[in-house]
Amino acid sequence: MGDSELGDAVARAQAGDHGAFGRVYRDVHPMLLGYLRGLIGDEADDIASETWHDIVRDLGRFRGDGLSFRSWAATIARHRALDHVRRVSVRPRTTELDERVAEPVSGWDSEGLALENLSTERALALIAELPQDQAEAVLLRVVLGLNGPMAAEVLGKRPGAVRTAAHRGLKRLSERLSGAEEK
């Protein structure tokens, strides 16, 4: 869904249209989940749930278009992720959680979905190896599709710094992928 369509769906959701909210969720959630997986890994589903709770709670106060909505959602997700990291560092988990398989939202066939999940997992694993500023910039620019100024707003940095971090991160990823193909 394009920014204009997303903005229209958000406006209808704010007016109480549950179907429009479903469209917003189906469009934004996979990108938001990818961003969170890049930030915090396996706990992304829980943090995404907290993020959507906050989005629903504050949706009436949101003002802006589709791109602004994605930026707003990413900001909330980032704050939830940082809160989670602080909680875990104060009270580390002592047991391993069972891995859960998220149900796909798309209508892909099983083979296509499996290939997409493998490539997504590999991409997120490679992004996770980047320095944090580069990883976040790549996730916001590529996974969530935010422009430089919006990504900068989410990160509290200047747009030029975010563009540079994203460029360096993508360059490193390209070099890693080129090196892996040569082997």
Side-chain angles (χ1 to χ4, degrees), residues 25-166:
Y25 179 83
R26 283 188 300 276
D27 186 66
V28 175
H29 182 71
M31 293 181 282
L32 202 59
L33 193 55
Y35 173 59
L36 286 167
R37 281 195 178 123
L39 290 178
I40 58 172
D42 293 337
E43 312 243 351
D45 289 318
D46 293 337
I47 304 308
S49 177
E50 291 178 23
T51 299
W52 281 104
H53 172 271
D54 291 354
I55 289 170
V56 169
R57 182 190 66 209
D58 298 335
L59 186 61
R61 293 188 289 224
F62 171 76
R63 299 288 175 260
D65 59 7
L67 182 61
S68 297
F69 181 81
R70 282 200 314 266
S71 175
W72 180 66
T75 299
I76 293 170
R78 185 170 191 266
H79 289 165
R80 293 289 122 243
L82 293 174
D83 289 347
H84 171 75
V85 168
R86 283 191 283 271
R87 273 194 314 268
V88 170
S89 69
V90 170
R91 190 183 65 227
R93 191 170 261 140
T94 57
T95 60
E96 187 107 0
L97 291 177
D98 292 334
E99 288 192 30
R100 294 181 295 264
V101 177
E103 291 186 31
V105 177
S106 69
W108 287 21
D109 64 345
S110 298
E111 181 182 344
L113 185 59
L115 291 173
E116 175 66 17
N117 284 340
L118 285 174
S119 62
T120 300
E121 285 178 27
R122 181 164 185 253
L124 290 174
L126 288 171
I127 291 170
E129 294 174 5
L130 295 172
Q132 185 175 353
D133 66 324
Q134 292 176 13
E136 281 194 272
V138 168
L139 289 167
L140 288 170
R141 298 290 311 272
V142 177
V143 176
L144 276 169
L146 299 182
N147 62 25
M150 289 291 199
E153 186 177 320
V154 170
L155 296 174
K157 296 183 177 186
R158 293 180 183 203
V162 173
R163 281 191 295 272
T164 300

